[in-house]
Amino acid sequence: DQIARLLLPVAEARWVAHQPKPVLALLTSIRRIIAECDARGEVGRVAHRTVESQLGILNSTVGTCEQLLGSPVPPTYTRHTS
């Protein structure tokens, strides 16, 4: 929530905060902003592609983390921790 408020206008930060997956909504907003900057010529093509590539990696990492968090822990692992 704090990151969204720093990066985005207030209304958009509120929208991101109320999404079911705020991290993905934030990534979408950043992608939109970069695309708009590119369309206005404020960002070079190489920079745009680099940022898009890094956002894609971050998006993939978020997806992996969500899979890990959503996976049940096998009983053999939890048996030794209690």
Side-chain angles (χ1 to χ4, degrees), residues 4-21:
R5 283 185 278 140
L6 288 171
L7 294 173
L8 303 171
V10 175
E12 194 165 359
R14 283 189 192 128
W15 174 81
V16 166
H18 289 95
Q19 296 305 303
K21 296 184 178 185

Side-chain angles (χ1 to χ4, degrees), residues 11-31:
E12 194 165 359
R14 283 189 192 128
W15 174 81
V16 166
H18 289 95
Q19 296 305 303
K21 296 184 178 185
V23 173
L24 297 180
L26 182 59
L27 288 173
T28 300
S29 292
I30 293 171
R31 279 192 157 122

Side-chain angles (χ1 to χ4, degrees), residues 11-73:
E12 194 165 359
R14 283 189 192 128
W15 174 81
V16 166
H18 289 95
Q19 296 305 303
K21 296 184 178 185
V23 173
L24 297 180
L26 182 59
L27 288 173
T28 300
S29 292
I30 293 171
R31 279 192 157 122
R32 181 190 50 74
I33 291 167
I34 295 298
E36 289 172 358
C37 289
D38 181 47
R40 291 189 302 262
E42 298 171 351
V43 173
R45 295 272 182 212
V46 174
H48 183 204
R49 277 184 262 150
T50 301
V51 170
E52 274 295 326
S53 174
Q54 295 301 309
L55 288 172
I57 292 167
L58 185 56
N59 189 32
S60 178
T61 303
V62 168
T64 301
C65 290
E66 286 182 348
Q67 283 180 326
L68 287 171
L69 289 172
S71 299
V73 178

